[in-house]
Amino acid sequence: MNDMRIVRKDVDMNDTKISAKGVQVFYGDTHAIKDVDVEIRDKTVTAFIGPSGCGKSTFLRCLNRMNDTIDICRVEGNILLDGEDIYDKRVDPVQLRAKVGMVFQRPNPFPKSIYDNIAYGPRIHGLAKNKADLDEIVEKALRRGAIWDEVKDRLDAPGTGLSGGQQQRLCIARAVATEPEVLLMDEPCSALDPIATLQVEELIDELRENFSVVIVTHSMQQAARVSQKTAFFHLGNLVEYGDTEQIFTNPQDERTESYITGRIG
Amino acid sequence: MSDAMNNPANSLLVQDARTAKRNAAEKRFRFFGIAAIATGLVFLVILLTAIFSNGTGAFQQTFLTVPVHLDETKLDKAGNRDIEDIKKVSTFGYNPLIQQAVFDMVQAQGIETPFTKRGDMKALISASAAAQLRDEVIANPDLIGQTIEFRVLATSRVDGYLKGRVTRESVERDKNIDAEHFDLVDGLRDAGIVKKSFNWDFITGADASESRPEQAGMGVAMVGSFFMMLVVLLCALPIGVAASIYLEEFAPQNRWTDLIEVNISNLAAVPSIVFGILGLAVFIQFAHLPQSAPLVGGLVLTLMTLPTIIISTRASLKAVPPSIRDAALGVGASKMQSVFHHVLPLAMPGILTGTIIGLAQALGETAPLLLIGMVGYIASDMPDGFLGGFLDPNSAMPAQIYEWAKRADPAYYERAWGGIIILLMFLMTMNIIAVILRRRFERRW
């Protein structure tokens, strides 16, 4: 752990984007998330770290209500996006997910052309008035996904034909195409090789200019490299949350220290 | 190293007892597998050989080609070619003309025969020949007064004699035909008058009465089956797919859906005759739909096919990777958008496979048709137009085959096998269409 590089970056002290208070998650009888409070800031990369099964992915999926698709899952507490409770009865999760995009662990492009992969979101949300508009959105999204140069000549090729890293960047481009405000990433690099990982990490850093990014990761180095804020989860509890630099250099909690030094996890 | 050299028990070059045992087990299993496949293939070959050796005869039919003089004094006494007057002449008016034509031909060819009257030719000529000639004249009254080359349908005995099914010995006690008639047939065959040719009527024609197997055809029953399949496809596919999508993607998992699930699986195992009696009670006695109609048959078969389609559709929906659903939901698609834009297209090949299996099952089903009056019904005419195809009484291919197989005349036995060939061809066409459709829908992910 001594060779761990920590990128020093100034954390913008912008407004709070997502504010979670007393969040509890149950899968049937299992208490998966226990009383988590966290404030996620705008235009910041926030990393969730912790050992397997600690609830970090579960908590991430609460932020755009992806847990709704699981029948036995029950969420309690308040999660506010820009001050509005996303679990309010009046909130349509579909509308919420247009604001809070998500990138998954395994690249999961649609079995369609590269163009259609990106255009799907804008199409169903009616973001483009005509074909030229849509072309523009697709190009912009692919540029933001740092994949435009690689695919601009074969937009009609199937998205599933790309390499793993390219597929993941395609999925990120797809997520940003709908102009979300928050981007959730669930271990986006776990299926990628080191070079593809590096490309995705650089991309995440660029995305910070426009979005609030929340990333779940297994790799502490990755958290240290890309994030400004880090939250450490353990056994369903949020153990420690603070500036990345502080978490990695001067952890307050014993468990955090054990984890980042490799004694547990 | 030296240990392995000295001790053969440790050498990789010698199989130890355990490995030998495992390898022997694998070898045995492979042998069983090959034996099972070989047995299956042998039975398939036997089946196909039996079908084709017995059935191909039905596609050949014997005809006598003779010039028939259409005597104006017999067919149109008034001589004004009034179609109504011509229609008044029944087949009794045509029979003597055909018999005379054949008799004249026998005389002209100088074939030695003890028969001296034209009436003796009756044993050679199918009772249907006169009807066919009459139809031809009614369609074209100008033929009256002319002498035309007419293909006279031979009786099934003559046909059987040419195909080797009937012999002189076998007709000793036959009232309809004598061995001397076969001498006549031999002579006419040598002269090229009696010939076997391809029997289109078997494919396009209607069933005939018990005494005229030479005229019987599969065509009308084929149309009946076609319209039933249409009903099954139009009802079972949308209902089955909608039910599966709801159960698989939308329904909450609780005791009710579990109960429904179990019952759908149970329905797939219900004997088909039960669906038949249900159809009789509900569609005919309660809803008063016409008896023997392909519409009712199709509805009954729909009930039978639904579980098959639902089970296979649910299986193929389940097989779509959940990551695709996540991806669609993640970009803000609604549940329904994610199902219809992404999941359903990917499940389509599996759904089509299930549908075609269900349809194939329905196509070969006879038992439920027994109860709604589609077996034993002799449909002598093609149904009237498209709507008539659904509502006119008709039979179905397997019912027709069953009907022929139980008739006494051995000529019908041959036709039953021939009917099976047509049924298999029909099935193959359906399967080919399904394979082509599947190719279109198939996408890699």
Side-chain angles (χ1 to χ4, degrees):
Chain A
M1 285 300 125
N2 296 329
D3 61 350
M4 198 162 57
R5 293 174 293 127
I6 294 177
V7 178
R8 286 166 193 277
K9 275 199 177 129
D10 294 331
V11 176
D12 296 337
M13 283 304 174
N14 284 324
D15 300 334
T16 298
K17 189 71 188 171
I18 297 176
S19 155
K21 282 194 191 76
V23 175
Q24 319 261 1
V25 180
F26 302 87
Y27 284 116
D29 295 332
T30 318
H31 198 171
I33 297 282
K34 295 159 192 159
D35 204 19
V36 167
D37 295 335
V38 70
E39 303 261 315
I40 291 164
R41 295 180 186 283
D42 201 8
K43 309 233 185 317
T44 304
V45 178
T46 307
F48 291 172
I49 60 169
S52 290
C54 66
K56 55 194 190 301
S57 283
T58 301
F59 184 71
L60 187 77
R61 290 169 71 94
C62 290
L63 300 181
N64 70 343
R65 292 184 60 174
M66 281 299 274
N67 283 333
D68 287 16
T69 59
I70 300 163
D71 276 340
I72 54 165
C73 182
R74 192 156 51 84
V75 179
E76 287 173 7
N78 289 315
I79 299 175
L80 307 178
L81 174 69
D82 292 332
E84 290 173 330
D85 185 3
I86 64 168
Y87 279 89
D88 191 285
K89 276 199 184 69
R90 289 166 294 181
V91 171
D92 187 335
V94 171
Q95 235 173 311
L96 170 71
R97 286 180 205 133
K99 277 188 164 189
V100 184
M102 187 153 189
V103 176
F104 298 85
Q105 194 169 354
R106 299 197 138 269
N108 54 355
F110 299 128
K112 297 175 186 247
S113 71
I114 292 170
Y115 184 94
D116 286 336
N117 260 286
I118 305 295
Y120 182 70
R123 266 196 199 122
I124 59 173
H125 295 300
L127 297 183
K129 282 189 232 41
N130 51 44
K131 179 84 172 79
D133 254 10
L134 194 60
D135 287 350
E136 206 174 297
I137 291 173
V138 170
E139 184 179 339
K140 191 176 162 201
L142 286 170
R143 280 189 193 284
R144 275 179 169 178
I147 193 180
W148 171 252
D149 290 332
E150 288 156 71
V151 300
K152 65 182 174 201
D153 299 324
R154 44 174 178 152
L155 292 176
D156 290 331
T160 42
L162 298 172
S163 74
Q166 287 174 326
Q167 286 189 18
Q168 194 61 299
R169 278 178 286 148
L170 179 68
C171 291
I172 294 173
R174 181 177 66 190
V176 299
T178 54
E179 298 288 339
E181 294 165 17
V182 181
L183 200 55
L184 308 178
M185 296 182 157
D186 190 357
E187 299 183 35
C189 300
S190 66
L192 304 184
D193 66 44
I195 292 167
T197 302
L198 184 69
Q199 287 167 327
V200 171
E201 283 177 7
E202 282 170 359
L203 175 56
I204 292 169
D205 199 49
E206 283 162 32
L207 291 173
R208 183 163 74 92
E209 289 172 19
N210 298 299
F211 310 98
S212 166
V213 179
V214 184
I215 177 170
V216 163
T217 176
H218 257 323
S219 150
M220 284 173 285
Q221 291 94 324
Q222 184 171 55
R225 283 194 297 262
V226 301
S227 71
Q228 290 82 51
K229 292 284 230 179
T230 297
F232 173 64
F233 284 80
H234 189 240
L235 301 175
N237 295 304
L238 176 63
V239 175
E240 196 170 347
Y241 177 54
D243 290 349
T244 300
E245 202 180 324
Q246 174 254 313
I247 295 274
F248 281 98
T249 54
N250 186 21
Q252 303 297 307
D253 194 284
E254 212 175 295
R255 288 168 291 180
T256 316
E257 195 185 353
S258 306
Y259 183 69
I260 61 171
T261 53
R263 282 207 293 276
I264 60 166
Chain B
M1 175 79 186
S2 64
D3 210 32
M5 297 288 260
N6 300 336
N7 184 0
N10 281 340
S11 165
L12 276 176
L13 301 175
V14 182
Q15 264 188 12
D16 63 28
R18 248 187 122 69
T19 313
K21 213 170 151 189
R22 278 192 300 211
N23 287 347
E26 185 175 324
K27 223 178 220 163
R28 267 201 308 280
F29 179 77
R30 283 186 188 207
F31 172 76
F32 287 140
I34 291 170
I37 289 171
T39 317
L41 280 179
V42 166
F43 278 112
L44 184 69
V45 168
I46 291 173
L47 182 75
L48 286 179
T49 320
I51 290 173
F52 280 96
S53 63
N54 283 311
T56 39
F59 292 91
Q60 296 273 312
Q61 197 65 39
T62 307
F63 295 94
L64 301 90
T65 313
V66 288
V68 177
H69 178 61
L70 299 168
D71 195 345
E72 189 171 7
T73 57
K74 299 259 171 56
L75 302 180
D76 189 17
K77 287 194 186 85
N80 56 10
R81 301 288 186 273
D82 183 356
I83 198 77
E84 291 309 315
D85 283 344
I86 294 170
K87 276 183 181 167
K88 276 178 193 153
V89 181
S90 72
T91 53
F92 288 113
Y94 289 86
N95 267 324
L97 298 180
I98 298 173
Q99 288 165 12
Q100 186 66 48
V102 175
F103 188 66
D104 288 347
M105 183 53 84
V106 172
Q107 299 286 321
Q109 293 292 331
I111 299 163
E112 241 174 84
T113 171
F115 301 117
T116 53
K117 301 193 303 290
R118 70 173 187 218
D120 293 326
M121 299 300 115
K122 200 181 152 199
L124 303 184
I125 302 160
S126 165
S128 305
Q132 287 172 356
L133 183 59
R134 181 171 175 266
D135 288 345
E136 204 166 304
V137 169
I138 287 170
N140 185 8
D142 291 336
L143 291 175
I144 292 175
Q146 297 179 23
T147 300
I148 59 164
E149 282 286 309
F150 184 62
R151 271 195 350 157
V152 180
L153 188 60
T155 57
S156 67
R157 299 293 194 285
V158 174
D159 185 50
Y161 176 65
L162 256 63
K163 288 173 182 167
R165 185 179 67 233
V166 179
T167 59
R168 284 184 173 75
E169 292 75 42
S170 72
V171 295
E172 263 168 26
R173 287 158 64 191
D174 196 322
K175 292 196 296 290
N176 298 311
I177 198 162
D178 298 321
E180 285 77 16
H181 282 115
F182 291 148
D183 297 336
L184 254 184
V185 171
D186 282 340
L188 288 170
R189 179 176 56 187
D190 293 342
I193 310 291
V194 170
K195 254 194 291 194
K196 285 193 293 184
S197 55
F198 192 77
N199 187 11
W200 282 109
D201 283 344
F202 180 60
I203 300 170
T204 58
D207 193 13
S209 74
E210 200 129 346
S211 58
R212 295 185 203 176
E214 68 273 7
Q215 201 207 347
M218 239 353 215
V220 176
M222 222 150 89
V223 170
S225 276
F226 173 77
F227 278 97
M228 285 204 312
M229 289 306 106
L230 215 58
V231 173
V232 174
L233 191 68
L234 292 181
C235 295
L237 188 63
I239 297 175
V241 171
S244 322
I245 291 177
Y246 180 77
L247 283 174
E248 198 54 48
E249 305 283 341
F250 293 95
Q253 286 291 314
N254 58 28
R255 213 174 301 163
W256 285 110
T257 45
D258 283 352
L259 195 72
I260 289 170
E261 223 164 282
V262 168
N263 277 303
I264 287 172
S265 307
N266 282 343
L267 273 184
V270 167
S272 55
I273 198 148
V274 176
F275 288 108
I277 206 157
L278 179 77
L280 175 66
V282 174
F283 297 128
I284 294 177
Q285 289 171 349
F286 178 72
H288 295 294
L289 289 173
Q291 218 171 341
S292 307
L295 174 66
V296 178
L299 289 173
V300 169
L301 294 178
T302 297
L303 295 180
M304 214 195 75
T305 314
L306 262 178
T308 314
I309 292 186
I310 292 179
I311 290 170
S312 65
T313 302
R314 291 191 63 180
S316 44
L317 287 174
K318 247 184 216 141
V320 174
S323 65
I324 295 291
R325 292 181 182 83
D326 282 349
L329 295 178
V331 295
S334 68
K335 185 93 196 172
M336 193 161 143
Q337 282 171 329
S338 91
V339 170
F340 281 87
H341 294 168
H342 301 288
V343 178
L344 200 56
L346 290 175
M348 216 55 206
I351 295 173
L352 275 173
T353 308
T355 308
I356 209 70
I357 289 172
L359 279 184
Q361 244 175 24
L363 183 70
E365 200 57 66
T366 325
L369 305 182
L370 276 169
L371 289 157
I372 54 165
M374 291 187 84
V375 178
Y377 178 82
I378 298 180
S380 50
D381 290 309
M382 279 288 174
D384 216 10
F386 190 69
L387 198 65
F390 291 111
L391 296 174
D392 286 357
N394 206 329
S395 191
M397 282 195 278
Q400 186 71 74
I401 292 165
Y402 166 70
E403 183 61 27
W404 283 345
K406 72 177 188 184
R407 284 183 189 169
D409 196 323
Y412 270 121
Y413 184 70
E414 179 191 80
R415 285 189 136 60
W417 286 100
I420 287 171
I421 295 179
I422 296 184
L423 180 67
L424 289 180
M425 295 286 178
F426 197 97
L427 200 66
M428 237 163 69
T429 316
M430 270 167 49
N431 280 331
I432 288 169
I433 293 171
V435 168
I436 292 170
L437 283 177
R438 243 175 60 171
R439 284 268 163 81
R440 290 211 144 172
F441 284 119
E442 215 141 57
R443 269 188 275 184
R444 291 182 307 121
W445 65 70

